[in-house]
Amino acid sequence: MALPNELPIYEVADEIVEGLRAVGRVVLSAPTGSGKSTQVPQILLDRCDLEGEIVVLQPRRLAARLLARRVAAERDVKLGDEVGYQIRFENIVSSKTRIRFVTEAILLRQILEDPSLQGVAAIVFDEFHERHLTSDLSIACALKSVQTVRPDLKLIVMSATLDIDSLEGYLKPCRRVEASGRMYPVECRFMGASLNRDAAPVWERAASAFRSHYKATDTTGDVLIFMPGAFEIRKTIDAIQGLAESKSYEVLPLHGELSPADQDRAVSSGSIPKVIVSTNVAETSITIEGVRTVIDGGQARIARYDMRRGINSILVEPISRASAEQRAGRAGRTGPGVCLRLWSEAEHLARADRDTAEVLRVDLSETLLLLAAAGIDQPEAFAWFESPNPQALSRASDLLVDLGALSHAGLITEIGLQMARFPLHPRYARMLIEAHRRGVLEQVTLIASLSQGRSIYRASREKSVRQAQLQQIEDHADERSDFFVHLKAWGLARELKFNALACAHVGVHGAASRQAGEVARQLLSVAQRQGLVATETAHADAIEERIAKCLLAGFSDQLSKRNDRGTNRCRMVHGRSGELRRESIVSSELFVAAEIEEREVRGDVTVLLGMATAVELTWLEALYPDDFLGGTKTTYDSSIRRVVCRSEQRFRDLVLESSDYGEPDYDKASELLAQEVVAGRLNMKNWDSSVEQWILRVNFVALHCPETEIAPIDSEARQLLTEQICHGALSYKDIKDRPVLATVKEWISPEQHYYIDTYAPATMDLPRRRNPAKIRYEEDGRAFIASKLQDFYDVPSESLKVANGQVALLVELLAPNQRPAHLTDDLDGFWAGAYQHVRKELAGRYPKHEWR
Ligand code: ADP
Ligand code: MG
């Protein structure tokens, strides 16, 4: 093992200390294993003369705990004294603590509660390249503190990748420090396709890669295998321990759910070679010395917005190429290494280049709620390191409004403040608070956990098993919610002590049920920590109704109404529509869906709704007085082209009930019909070009001759005029043949008509023409006269004026073929100038005409 003071980080220690002294902010990039996490906090403590704590932010609990233990050991102090750590549910610190490793959520809550960060001298953001949403938020908040109340607070941002330009710009002024690492070459081999249907499970492929590698080489050294989670790690260890080749190795897991002692065992060096099977914590957070072979399963658990459940979920996904590169590098720390990738080269090329930051891929409602609770209620204006997409922001704030956490003005409510204290998605926070009020906390935590985890139903093709399942559970379930079926099924599994075989007989998944129970217990303890206790108080409503109301509170944004009894098609709030899954037992007209899934069927996207719970109209009225809107409404119904009066009840934008309600008011009816006409959706036969030309003349005079006091016919006037024309009508049939021009002409007084005729005449006499020439007025205030070129011989320029002599007509001189030959507003100037050219050309083509 390298002695700490030989680690590459010490080559740049002076630069770090100097940078902090000079500008207070340092961006440090150095490869994994160079000593950032363990040494930088100690350099700050020993050499920077700081007063107060050094807080080191870690994206992972496992890393926070291991690093604290390691640093305490290096300094030979008891954990929790000078060096401590704080993660969710574990707090190993004391008043003596100077270096405190924390997970992101802990620091974020601390900054939001106390932006002055009392007692904190420096914050070290470790593993910033991971770009978790919480670390993005924490760094923005810390920067704000530095710029306002804590100019002396030191910030160090560390990253294992070199891509730190944007970070440097964000933190400016700051000092950039780079350290090199020592790396040996690593040979990467692709072990074949992983996405084929017949590909074996990833743990079996890992075991066979291990075996073939063991046979082919005589490399000594440890083996590091990457798997996405605890389950796959267990399977891999079983598969490897089943091989004769593994006998000379110690096979050890490394993930967050192990005891601290087991975690230590995996990272410490022993005498016999090891196979460590780890989550991606070993990708950059934790370095294990002596690894010469990496076997990469190529997957990781990644947080992503789960459309179906409307919350964030952790999904197993292929890692990016950049991640794979990092993982391979773990084999080249102490000598040349080998990396076996359990996928094909073609698949590799199809993978994402690098990971997208969480801020761009997860649901932001929990984040917005936290910010709002801290008084930051304009998320668009927040100084994000990378701004989220505006649609994601508005979707998140809409949800918070629907859940009652934010007012329509975007301000946090009483219940919103309470929800923000839960380390849970706001939906679940809201449901638990409601459940506490209604005395059904235990049932609702179980429902919440059933809706988050994998299904407790056993997929079974065996008919007899299915029948047993149906008989036992569905027949006897309360049909007001699909969750009641799941609750019953879970109860059955519990009676069978979650025994896999016994559960399978009734069609239930024992292990998934046991796990759901555990998650429910955790949720219950979260609720209890927030002061909610499961009590047995008397309630007027039946227990099923109380549970259903909690589901309504958590999913009111997914309220749905069947289009008809007997159909599964329905409309939903926020203008959506969907179809309830056939397997739902809920038959009521109104329900909330806890699951939404978009599915493409023959090119059409249908929204499938699942896990429904029946809801009653009276509940909406009582629980959402502000969102429940009722009354009569007069509207234009485009399907029958008629104005109708309906009495209507709505929940937000979803119409719950609508019935005809007598004759509509005639004023309202003509207004609505006029709107359709003005918008061009209905066409009145007599509103023709003569009407439009009249309007143009009126507007021409209004524009050029304000002394006439004629008001222009603008869109508002058009609406008023059309209303007058439509008065007394209810349908398109009533208005389509009505006369128009007479009413439009009444817009101006009889005296003003004189001005229209003289200042904007419809025609003008030209001496050489038999009948007068038309004048065309345009919306922009210009007027045109068009006639044969010869008609303008001997016409004095002066006479071609309108608007009381103020506006010269634009003269369009037409060739014998009626095509415009020239356009001018200065006829005299034309004869003297351009005419010579025009004549030359036209006289040649039309020699029989008169050309002066
Ligand atoms: P970085 O953060 O730059 O990746 P670290 O500070 O985590 O580097 O690690 C520096 C060195 O200390 C590495 O060589 C690593 O092997 C060693 N080390 C860190 N933690 C432990 C531990 N818990 N047990 C044994 N060695 C460790
Ligand atoms: Mg580190």
Side-chain angles (χ1 to χ4, degrees), residues 2 6-9 11 31-32 34 180-184 332-334:
E6 287 172 0
L7 287 166
I9 205 73
E11 290 159 20
T32 310
S34 53
S180 58
R182 301 167 198 138
M183 273 287 288
Y184 293 89
R333 297 239 338 122
T334 44

Side-chain angles (χ1 to χ4, degrees), residues 237-310:
I237 289 181
D238 288 349
I240 292 203
Q241 281 175 335
L243 301 172
E245 290 82 355
S246 74
K247 294 295 174 258
S248 54
Y249 286 87
E250 193 180 4
V251 187
L252 298 163
L254 179 61
H255 57 80
E257 278 137 56
L258 299 173
S259 69
D262 285 341
Q263 293 173 353
D264 273 347
R265 223 148 57 93
V267 295
S268 58
S269 39
S271 47
I272 40 172
K274 289 183 295 183
V275 175
I276 304 117
V277 190
S278 171
T279 59
N280 60 356
V281 71
E283 185 177 309
T284 59
S285 290
I286 300 291
T287 300
I288 299 157
E289 286 304 303
V291 171
R292 299 289 295 279
T293 306
V294 164
I295 299 175
D296 186 357
Q299 301 170 325
R301 294 162 72 79
I302 293 177
R304 209 176 271 283
Y305 177 58
D306 181 344
M307 283 275 292
R308 186 159 74 96
R309 294 165 174 143

Side-chain angles (χ1 to χ4, degrees), residues 376-524:
I376 302 167
D377 45 27
Q378 285 187 310
E380 320 73 46
F382 184 71
W384 303 90
F385 173 57
E386 185 171 0
S387 296
N389 129 7
Q391 279 146 333
L393 271 181
S394 67
R395 188 181 63 209
S397 66
D398 287 351
L399 176 60
L400 291 174
V401 171
D402 283 352
L403 293 173
L406 295 185
S407 69
H408 285 282
L411 300 176
I412 190 133
T413 61
E414 199 66 38
I415 201 161
L417 280 172
Q418 201 183 349
M419 285 161 67
R421 287 196 290 270
F422 282 78
L424 291 179
H425 190 277
R427 269 189 207 288
Y428 293 112
R430 181 72 185 83
M431 261 165 49
L432 295 195
I433 292 170
E434 196 67 28
H436 173 245
R437 285 184 186 163
R438 300 185 182 276
V440 283
L441 197 51
E442 267 186 42
Q443 292 86 342
V444 170
T445 48
L446 189 54
I447 284 176
S449 90
L450 288 172
S451 70
Q452 287 185 62
R454 33 185 186 134
S455 172
I456 62 168
Y457 280 117
R458 242 194 132 73
S460 169
R461 267 176 232 105
E462 233 181 288
K463 197 146 182 260
S464 61
V465 171
R466 256 231 228 108
Q467 270 167 358
Q469 168 186 348
L470 288 176
Q471 252 169 20
Q472 290 279 356
I473 304 160
E474 289 191 359
D475 286 0
H476 299 97
D478 184 302
E479 64 166 36
R480 277 176 290 181
S481 173
D482 292 323
F483 281 114
F484 294 150
V485 181
H486 281 228
L487 283 181
K488 264 204 125 102
W490 185 84
L492 207 64
R494 189 181 50 180
E495 270 170 38
L496 300 169
K497 306 220 158 38
F498 303 117
N499 178 291
L501 223 58
C503 286
H505 267 299
V506 291
V508 183
H509 205 295
S513 302
R514 183 198 301 275
Q515 203 182 10
E518 276 160 23
V519 173
R521 239 196 323 280
Q522 284 169 13
L523 284 174
L524 199 58

